[in-house]
Amino acid sequence: MAEIIQKDGIWVFDGDALRLTPGRDKNVGVLRRTLGELVVPLGALAGVSFEQGRRSGRLRLRLRDGADPLLHATGGRLTEPHDPYQLTVEADRYGVAEYFTDEVRDALLLAQVPGTPVSEYLLPGPPLPLTVSAGDGTASFDGEQVRLEWNWKTEDAKAAAGPRTLALADILGVEWQPSAGLENGHLRFLVRGAPVKTRAKYDPNAVELWGFKRDPLMALVATAVQVRLPHPSAAVVADVPQQPETPEADHDALLRRLRQLGELRREGVLTDEEFTRAKQAVLKRM
């Protein structure tokens, strides 16, 4: 097991999964604190990196495309304080961070986890029911329908229509866009038969966001809905013709695996006993 404890959070790797627990430091964003502990299975990882700086370093996890509904719903737009897959590392813990990185990389190699996209989510969405108030409204989701309610800051034309209830079956997609500079953000639901390009300020299917503290929490609602919609990569993966493996190709892959195991033993990653067990498993497949 590998573990690194920092003010920013605690990461623990047991060989099968990583447990990411946010810290209590004031720099930890509200979204990370609300998400709480995340359990990331090894099969959802595409890689891990550690970057050193003069005062602090940073551990980063890279997940396989399509593995996490949060990353899909936010489109890579989570800023540093809210990104659960980054950890600030103090300079005196660089050695621990490097060891942690090596342990995860070795596990990925031994398990032969591919870096390719997946066709189903490998992480769950936030627990339900879920209610978040931010910007010009409140968004609630119970797993079957979304309810949008407005506050005193809502544009009159949008508020006049009253609260909105959107059935999950009528939702084609969801957008979460944080505010940036002078541009406001939004949480928008793409609804069957409704216009798409109306500004969030006037769109009855969108909550406008102005960059206040609780705005990132709307990403939780986006994620909870996203995980219940058809997986975005399923159709793409289904359209890719699969080439049947020939016995020769399978044999070559197993030979490459034996060479990898030999290199890991020479580098001291595998003990002689571990190497023998892994080698026997490969030889049985041959």
Side-chain angles (χ1 to χ4, degrees):
M1 185 179 77
E3 179 181 66
I4 181 166
I5 302 174
Q6 294 291 276
K7 294 178 181 178
D8 197 33
I10 301 173
W11 285 14
V12 179
F13 177 56
D14 63 6
D16 296 317
L18 293 100
R19 292 185 176 274
L20 315 179
T21 305
R24 298 181 179 180
D25 188 73
K26 63 180 181 180
N27 294 322
V28 177
V30 63
L31 178 58
R32 278 183 64 195
R33 293 199 302 269
T34 304
L35 280 170
E37 182 181 85
L38 292 180
V39 179
V40 182
L42 183 65
L45 284 183
V48 58
S49 64
F50 174 56
E51 305 156 5
Q52 293 189 17
R54 285 190 298 177
R55 295 185 178 181
S56 64
R58 188 166 304 282
L59 270 170
R60 299 179 190 268
L61 296 181
R62 184 167 58 87
L63 273 62
R64 297 170 65 187
D65 289 344
D68 183 16
L70 171 67
L71 292 182
H72 181 77
T74 55
R77 293 183 289 268
L78 285 177
T79 55
E80 180 181 310
H82 304 292
D83 187 345
Y85 303 118
Q86 297 187 39
L87 183 72
T88 301
V89 179
E90 298 167 11
D92 61 351
R93 289 294 181 269
Y94 281 0
V96 177
E98 290 173 346
Y99 171 76
F100 188 95
T101 302
D102 289 342
E103 287 291 292
V104 176
R105 285 177 176 170
D106 291 345
L108 287 170
L109 179 61
L110 287 172
Q112 293 186 294
V113 177
T116 53
V118 298
S119 57
E120 62 180 354
Y121 293 119
L122 302 181
L123 280 83
L128 298 177
L130 181 63
T131 299
V132 175
S133 296
D136 69 351
T138 297
S140 302
F141 182 54
D142 61 5
E144 297 181 357
Q145 60 184 22
V146 172
R147 183 171 174 82
L148 302 176
E149 300 178 78
W150 314 116
N151 57 37
W152 63 273
K153 295 171 284 188
T154 309
E155 179 69 25
D156 291 344
K158 184 162 73 171
R164 295 278 289 169
T165 299
L166 309 175
L168 182 63
D170 293 330
I171 297 176
L172 303 176
V174 58
E175 296 177 352
W176 177 80
Q177 176 73 50
S179 59
L182 299 177
E183 294 293 327
N184 292 339
H186 63 260
L187 169 67
R188 187 195 307 274
F189 298 96
L190 308 180
V191 180
R192 198 183 312 277
V196 177
K197 292 304 180 182
T198 306
R199 289 176 58 191
K201 182 177 183 178
Y202 304 105
D203 188 349
N205 298 319
V207 176
E208 187 178 31
L209 305 174
W210 299 308
F212 296 149
K213 181 178 179 180
R214 290 181 59 82
D215 281 9
L217 293 180
M218 282 295 182
L220 295 177
V221 181
T223 303
V225 173
Q226 181 65 56
V227 78
R228 289 164 175 82
L229 297 177
H231 190 276
S233 299
V236 176
V237 174
D239 289 341
V240 177
Q242 301 297 316
Q243 298 295 330
E245 288 192 3
T246 63
E248 291 81 5
D250 187 56
H251 186 269
D252 289 344
L254 293 173
L255 287 176
R256 288 196 299 272
R257 182 62 178 153
L258 284 175
R259 287 195 291 270
Q260 290 174 348
L261 290 172
E263 292 172 1
L264 290 173
R265 182 179 64 170
R266 286 193 294 275
E267 294 171 0
V269 175
L270 294 178
T271 65
D272 288 343
E273 182 181 354
E274 290 169 335
F275 169 77
T276 300
R277 288 202 305 267
K279 178 181 176 181
Q280 289 174 346
V282 174
L283 291 177
K284 285 181 181 179
R285 292 182 59 188
M286 295 180 69

